[in-house]
């Protein structure tokens, strides 16, 4: 029996791990131990995903959040090490690009436990993003690199991975598995009252929330889009709420609390445009045939830009408004093949076994 220790801690990781975890459960010869670092801990950022998506209750529940990156990552490293020593996994499985990802990979590699990285090879080429640092270092110490796209494989090739004794595997994107699987469970958020075509917004990247100038421009643009294009529905990340309060800004759109995945899938399915700085939401817009405007200067999902489905506007107020107006209601052609078609989890588990 092969024992996998899965490390998760943040919202997108719960969604990604849910589909792999479900596949592991159906597969002989492999068992999963779940470790939740506690990086996201609010009920609507964590518990709701475990309940809705059927993720097994964590075998190890840490309570590590807040503080600077060094403190958070360091504490995780120490406690994940204990978990690895206790459960003696054959392999550690990490997802994406958060501090939980890097701490999990590093703790394992130092104990000579092989690491598998889901979402390997993604690059924004912006080393000021904490996510970029986390993903580059995690890839370096993984021996099974599950890439979601051809671009991700090419990025690793350019970094010399083709000549290393590791497995670089293009398996497709687990986010597509999740979007397809859970679309049937979509449900409107409680008390949802917008009865016109609307824009779905999300905003949480540190590069936007922690830079007062960018944050001010984005909030002002969202207010403008809400007034002049269509109602903006914004499930607000707790960190963004705190940053907006701190900067004394006023958000005049339909702000709602962060929603569960079933509600998010409903919003994606019913909106007429997506305005986001999220990684995952850029692709989900595409899976649901919606145009996406991305409030970042780079994206890891470059194939969506080439396909004309996604447009980068940075934190430029005029561009956010102009692109929102141009692309509102525009349907996106079907390019579902770009992300593997929805069986990434099965391919990952086959390789793990
Ligand atoms: N999401 C959600 N509820 C929300 C906002 C986002 O379920 O209120 C989902 C979203 O659909 C996507 C994931 O959370 O699957 C993305 O997480 P996030 O934007 O926090 O992180 P990123 O993808 O940028 O790493």
């Amino acid at each position: 029996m092969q024992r996998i220790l899965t490390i998760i801690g943040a919202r997108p990781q719960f969604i990604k791990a849910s589909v792999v975890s479900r596949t592991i459960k159906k597969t002989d010869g492999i068992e999963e131990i779940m470790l939740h670092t506690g990086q996201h801990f609010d009920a609507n950022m964590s518990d709701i995903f475990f309940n809705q998506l059927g993720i097994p209750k964590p075998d190890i529940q840490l309570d590590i959040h807040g503080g600077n990156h060094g403190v958070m990552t360091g504490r995780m490293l120490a406690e994940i090490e204990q978990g690895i020593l206790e459960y003696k996994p054959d392999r550690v499985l990490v997802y994406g690009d958060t501090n939980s990802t890097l701490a999990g990979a590093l703790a394992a590699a130092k104990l000579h436990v092989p690491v598998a990285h889901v979402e390997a090879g993604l690059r924004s080429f912006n080393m000021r993003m904490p996510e970029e640092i986390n993903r580059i270092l995690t890839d370096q110490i993984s021996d099974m690199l599950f890439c979601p796209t051809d671009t991700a494989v090419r990025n690793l090739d350019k970094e010399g991975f083709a000549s290393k004794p590791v497995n670089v595997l293009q398996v497709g994107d687990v986010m597509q598995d999740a979007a397809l699987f859970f679309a049937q469970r979509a449900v409107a958020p409680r008390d949802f009252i917008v009865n016109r075509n609307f824009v779905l917004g999300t905003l949480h990247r540190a590069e936007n929330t922690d830079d007062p100038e960018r944050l001010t421009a984005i909030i002002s643009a969202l207010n403008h889009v809400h007034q002049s294009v269509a109602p903006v529905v914004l499930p607000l990340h707790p960190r963004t709420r705190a940053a907006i309060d701190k900067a004394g800004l006023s958000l005049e759109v339909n702000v709602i609390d962060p929603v569960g995945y079933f509600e998010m899938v409903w919003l994606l399915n019913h909106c007429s445009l997506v305005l986001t700085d999220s990684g995952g939401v850029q692709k989900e817009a595409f899976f649901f045939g919606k145009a996406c405007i991305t409030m970042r200067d780079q994206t890891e999902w470059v194939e969506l830009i080439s396909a004309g489905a996604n447009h980068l506007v940075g934190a430029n107020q005029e561009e956010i408004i102009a692109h929102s107006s141009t692309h509102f209601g525009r349907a996106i052609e079907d390019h579902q093949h770009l992300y593997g078609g929805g069986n990434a989890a099965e391919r990952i588990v086959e390789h793990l076994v």
Side-chain angles (χ1 to χ4, degrees):
M1 175 69 74
Q2 149 132 241
R3 174 176 280 190
I4 302 288
L5 174 64
T6 295
I7 314 281
I8 49 179
R11 175 169 68 186
Q13 292 166 336
F14 308 141
I15 297 164
K16 291 164 197 166
S18 72
V19 287
V20 176
S21 195
R22 188 162 42 86
T23 311
I24 288 179
K25 235 182 283 165
K26 292 189 302 202
T27 309
D28 291 335
I30 182 165
E31 64 170 358
E32 183 177 42
I33 307 292
M34 191 69 87
L35 184 154
H36 183 342
T37 61
Q39 187 172 346
H40 283 169
F41 57 94
D42 294 314
N44 56 14
M45 294 293 287
S46 176
D47 295 356
I48 189 166
F49 295 95
F50 281 79
N51 297 335
Q52 285 190 335
L53 310 184
I55 308 167
K57 195 170 149 352
D59 301 278
I60 309 171
Q61 176 69 60
L62 308 181
D63 186 24
I64 304 174
H65 44 79
N68 288 336
H69 284 279
V71 171
M72 192 200 287
T73 314
R75 287 184 60 206
M76 285 177 183
L77 184 59
E79 296 200 32
I80 294 171
E81 183 175 68
Q82 284 311 311
I84 297 174
L85 290 170
E86 183 183 341
Y87 280 90
K88 300 185 177 41
D90 299 298
R91 173 172 289 285
V92 163
L93 180 62
V94 296
Y95 290 86
D97 53 24
T98 70
N99 291 341
S100 304
T101 314
L102 176 60
L106 192 49
K110 292 272 182 153
L111 291 170
H112 305 143
V113 176
V115 179
H117 184 203
V118 175
E119 275 201 356
L122 294 180
R123 297 290 181 265
S124 67
F125 304 101
N126 176 357
M127 283 302 279
R128 291 186 61 81
M129 287 176 67
E131 293 90 347
E132 184 77 353
I133 299 168
N134 290 339
R135 55 171 88 99
I136 288 178
L137 295 179
T138 300
D139 284 344
Q140 289 293 335
I141 51 178
S142 300
D143 78 330
M144 229 180 221
L145 296 106
F146 293 122
C147 297
T149 59
D150 292 337
T151 309
V153 174
R154 277 197 297 276
N155 288 338
L156 292 178
D157 279 353
K158 284 187 208 140
E159 291 176 21
F161 277 78
S163 57
K164 288 187 182 185
V166 296
N167 291 304
V168 173
L169 304 151
Q170 213 281 39
V171 290
D173 187 354
V174 286
M175 294 293 282
Q176 184 167 29
D177 296 25
L180 286 173
F181 185 75
F182 293 113
Q184 352 158 13
R185 314 286 290 276
V187 53
R190 203 151 26 100
D191 305 328
F192 188 80
I193 39 146
V194 179
N195 50 15
R196 290 168 47 200
N197 291 342
F198 63 93
V199 177
L200 173 62
T202 79
L203 176 66
H204 77 290
R205 279 280 152 201
E207 72 210 64
N208 288 331
T209 59
D210 298 358
D211 179 335
E213 209 174 303
R214 288 180 73 99
L215 188 63
T216 305
I218 289 173
I219 298 300
S220 171
L222 291 178
N223 290 343
H224 196 100
V225 171
H226 184 75
Q227 279 301 322
S228 64
V229 179
V232 175
V233 176
L234 187 72
L236 196 57
H237 196 288
R239 195 185 48 221
T240 313
R241 190 182 288 275
I244 290 173
D245 290 347
K246 191 171 158 210
L249 298 168
S250 136
L251 195 47
E252 288 141 21
V253 306
N254 288 98
V255 174
I256 59 175
D257 284 333
V259 294
Y261 194 58
F262 294 173
E263 289 81 2
M264 190 65 185
V265 165
W266 188 92
L267 289 168
L268 284 156
N269 209 0
H270 286 80
C271 71
S272 300
L273 179 74
V274 172
L275 199 47
T276 190
D277 63 358
S278 157
V281 175
Q282 291 174 54
K283 282 170 296 157
E284 287 167 339
F286 176 70
F287 298 147
F288 288 92
K290 308 300 161 78
C292 183
I293 311 295
T294 298
M295 300 178 287
R296 286 182 48 195
D297 299 327
Q298 309 87 10
T299 178
E300 300 76 29
W301 306 103
V302 288
E303 48 292 315
L304 294 180
I305 306 288
S306 315
N310 189 6
H311 304 269
L312 286 180
V313 291
N316 183 308
Q317 188 178 337
E318 283 76 37
E319 293 231 353
I320 297 171
I321 298 166
H323 276 79
S324 297
S325 169
T326 306
H327 295 286
F328 185 76
R330 188 167 72 82
I332 294 303
E333 273 177 62
D334 186 0
H335 291 285
Q336 303 294 342
H337 63 279
L338 286 176
Y339 294 102
N343 60 5
E346 274 162 30
R347 295 163 80 179
I348 287 170
V349 175
E350 261 168 40
H351 286 297
L352 289 174
V353 169

